[in-house]
Amino acid sequence: MLYRADLIAGGGPQDWEVPPQTDLMLTADEHTQNNLLSDASVAVQLLAACPDALLLVDERRNIQYANRAAVQISGYDYDEVVGLSLKELVPPEERRWLAETAQEADQLAKVSCVCGKLQHRDGTVVPVEVSVSKLESGQGAIYMVVARETAERVQLTEEALHAEHMRALGEIASGVAHDFRNVLAAILGRSQLLLMKVADPQMREALQAIEKAALDGGETVKRIMRYGSPEPSGEEFVPVDLNELLKEVIESTRYRWFHEPQVEGRRIELEARLTPVPLTEGSPSELRQFFTNLIMNACDAMPDGGRLAISTQSGPTTITVTIADTGEGMAPEVQERIFDAFFTTKGGSSLGLGLALGKQSVSRHGGQITVGSSVGEGTIFTITLPRIVQDLEDASSESPAVSATDHAAQILVVEDEPVLRDLLRESVVTMGHDVRVASRTEEALQLINIQHYDVVITDLGMPDIPGSKVAQAAKQASGETHVILLTGWDNPLSPTQSTYVDQILIKPASVADLSAAIEAGLAA
């Protein structure tokens, strides 16, 4: 039976044959079904309105009909797609599945849920899920091809995989952060104890640099741990002089923009135009790490040398920092992804977290970051931060003095790491207190049963029994004992365990923080 109808898929009048054996299953009422089939325009409109791409293909695999969705997915006009070979809509490297699916349809009459790819006229590849049905008619076989885009499904799958990847990475990062914080705690504590004893200006300057690096390392660990978390960090911002901070960053990165290029026979010329600007409010360590990363990236982008320009400028409500290089530049598709986590152009030498963390940090400071770049013409990053009016308070890197107390308290230190145990013991002795140390939880529990302690300082991650058991035993022995928990973990305790702990110090804790915690416990 041959019908003629106006196809709303985009073409003009078209002859269309309804195969006699085709059972549309429109209704259980045979009379109504026959009436519907007698009206070809209704059948055609049903096909045209189908949200999935629908093609009718003859035995030579030429397209005889395409509905609206198929025309859209192909990128051709209706008159162009009709008569086109089906393989023209499939990428060359994907045509094998088309041949296999067609062969299987010949044998089984119907093939469902085959994953493949179609190709838009502009070359864009579209992942699809295909079903093919073979329909017999008086003029030969007709194949009905139904293709459903799976981009959304693929995106959901990728998002699920990304979430799982982030969860696994978070677990790994937590373990690494714990160990790294122990290392930083030893470096920070020793440098601060030495600062209390050393008077030589050059030695003090070197120790202050070590102290600052350890503190910045601790802040970096915090930022990695909270990446992707919607919860605020709770960190208090302080007034920051961006010019002074940038001078520190320029000096600390000198080996990258001056010494290394000099050794390699190239030259990077650095120009700093730091005009007077008001203060901003923020985390010095976060901003220092962010600007350091930008300078490092700029140096990497100039393998043959070049020019690096750093400038500051004040506006009515903001401060603008620009960092520009004359390096290799970036293609548009790279610029679109540079702030994505784990995206990197450096291969295995980078995790691809620097700019992602940096953008999050700038946002947390109430600022914005933009990038402009062209291949072969360099890159410029523009960072705007809000300004404040107040004067800069003394931000000396001198370590707060830890004065000895008139009353020597009885303090128990529980720590399995020898370097940290000795550091804690020496710190507490410097404060003028009597101290006992335990390297294992069992030893600590025995000491608690023998005598009363005013303060118990315990590490959480003990090798035999968790430090939370020490806290519980100390509180049960005497409710007046002040318990300080040292840990490299974030949110380490359950609500029940928290009832036995008075204070938590996250490593690396400074000597001043430890002293303040002890004094607060004794004054309670």
Side-chain angles (χ1 to χ4, degrees), residues 47-305:
L47 296 177
C50 178
D52 296 330
L54 190 148
L55 301 164
L56 294 181
V57 181
D58 62 22
E59 290 180 317
R60 293 174 297 174
R61 309 293 191 258
N62 292 328
I63 299 170
Q64 297 302 314
Y65 169 78
N67 72 345
R68 182 187 297 112
V71 170
Q72 184 176 0
I73 204 173
S74 72
Y76 292 91
D77 292 335
Y78 179 79
D79 292 337
E80 294 175 310
V81 77
V82 171
L84 201 65
S85 174
L86 182 59
K87 69 178 183 181
E88 297 300 320
L89 300 185
V90 179
E93 66 274 11
E94 294 288 331
R95 289 174 184 172
R96 182 176 178 180
W97 71 262
L98 177 63
E100 292 174 348
T101 302
Q103 184 178 5
E104 191 173 351
D106 281 332
Q107 297 172 352
L108 302 178
K110 184 172 183 179
V111 180
S112 300
C113 300
V114 177
C115 292
K117 293 179 181 178
L118 296 181
Q119 182 170 278
H120 191 275
R121 186 176 192 171
D122 63 8
T124 304
V125 175
V126 182
V128 291
E129 189 176 83
V130 177
S131 296
V132 180
S133 298
K134 182 180 181 182
L135 311 172
E136 296 292 347
S137 71
Q139 284 75 32
I142 294 176
Y143 298 88
M144 185 169 66
V145 180
V146 180
R148 173 173 297 176
E149 287 192 58
T150 58
E152 183 176 353
R153 187 179 304 178
V154 170
Q155 181 181 356
L156 292 174
T157 302
E158 289 178 348
E159 288 175 355
L161 289 173
H162 179 69
E164 179 64 19
H165 179 65
M166 290 294 288
R167 184 195 64 77
L169 183 68
E171 293 179 359
I172 296 172
S174 294
V176 173
H178 175 267
D179 295 339
F180 190 49
R181 280 169 166 167
N182 278 341
V183 174
L184 291 173
I187 297 172
L188 177 63
R190 280 298 169 192
S191 63
Q192 291 181 335
L193 285 178
L194 287 171
L195 278 168
M196 297 175 193
K197 302 174 183 178
V198 173
D200 180 79
Q202 289 186 335
M203 186 64 71
R204 290 186 62 80
E205 184 178 352
L207 289 170
Q208 287 166 0
I210 295 173
E211 177 190 32
K212 182 183 292 183
L215 289 170
D216 286 356
E219 290 301 318
T220 299
V221 173
K222 287 182 183 178
R223 290 198 298 278
I224 291 175
M225 293 301 295
R226 70 170 178 254
Y227 180 76
S229 171
E231 299 178 2
S233 67
E235 179 185 2
E236 293 185 4
F237 285 173
V238 298
V240 178
D241 185 334
L242 283 175
N243 282 345
E244 289 301 317
L245 185 141
L246 285 168
K247 289 176 184 177
E248 292 178 11
V249 172
I250 290 171
E251 188 58 35
S252 66
T253 57
R254 178 177 289 273
Y255 73 98
R256 286 300 308 275
W257 58 265
F258 182 76
H259 295 298
E260 280 189 6
Q262 191 176 50
V263 170
E264 296 169 0
R266 56 191 176 94
R267 184 185 179 201
I268 294 179
E269 178 186 349
L270 188 144
E271 179 184 355
R273 294 177 301 208
L274 307 180
T275 60
V277 295
L279 305 177
T280 188
E281 197 170 44
S283 165
S285 62
E286 268 191 55
L287 294 173
R288 190 181 298 114
Q289 182 63 42
F290 172 57
F291 289 124
T292 296
N293 188 57
L294 288 183
I295 291 178
M296 297 289 197
N297 287 346
C299 292
D300 290 338
M302 296 185 286
D304 299 322

Side-chain angles (χ1 to χ4, degrees), residues 332-491:
E333 59 269 21
V334 174
Q335 291 184 55
E336 291 177 0
R337 299 192 59 194
I338 58 170
F339 296 114
D340 293 348
F342 309 111
F343 175 75
T344 179
T345 58
K346 301 178 183 179
S349 63
S350 173
L351 288 176
L353 280 175
L355 288 175
L357 290 172
K359 184 177 182 180
Q360 185 189 59
S361 178
V362 171
S363 298
R364 206 167 73 85
H365 282 75
Q368 294 182 328
I369 178 171
T370 59
V371 59
S373 184
S374 297
V375 175
E377 297 183 8
T379 300
I380 178 169
F381 284 91
T382 303
I383 302 96
T384 57
L385 295 168
R387 55 179 286 180
I388 58 176
V389 181
Q390 67 190 80
D391 293 331
L392 181 63
E393 299 177 1
D394 181 18
S396 171
S397 60
E398 294 284 339
S399 297
V402 179
S403 58
T405 181
D406 294 333
H407 168 66
Q410 298 297 313
I411 296 180
L412 173 63
V413 170
V414 186
E415 171 62 66
D416 63 304
E417 293 285 345
V419 174
L420 293 180
R421 187 169 62 246
D422 292 343
L423 173 64
L424 290 169
R425 180 190 58 77
E426 187 174 339
S427 299
V428 174
V429 169
T430 302
M431 299 170 199
H433 302 297
D434 295 330
V435 61
R436 293 290 299 273
V437 297
S439 60
R440 300 185 68 82
T441 303
E442 287 288 355
E443 181 184 359
L445 296 177
Q446 292 174 7
L447 291 173
I448 289 172
N449 290 330
I450 294 173
Q451 75 169 81
H452 167 77
Y453 290 96
D454 300 303
V455 178
V456 171
I457 305 169
T458 180
D459 184 27
L460 175 62
M462 298 296 289
D464 49 352
I465 303 173
S468 57
K469 294 296 184 182
V470 176
Q472 182 178 352
K475 280 296 186 183
Q476 290 175 344
S478 173
E480 296 180 356
T481 297
H482 189 78
V483 178
I484 301 172
L485 185 72
L486 280 171
T487 180
W489 303 100
D490 291 326
N491 304 318

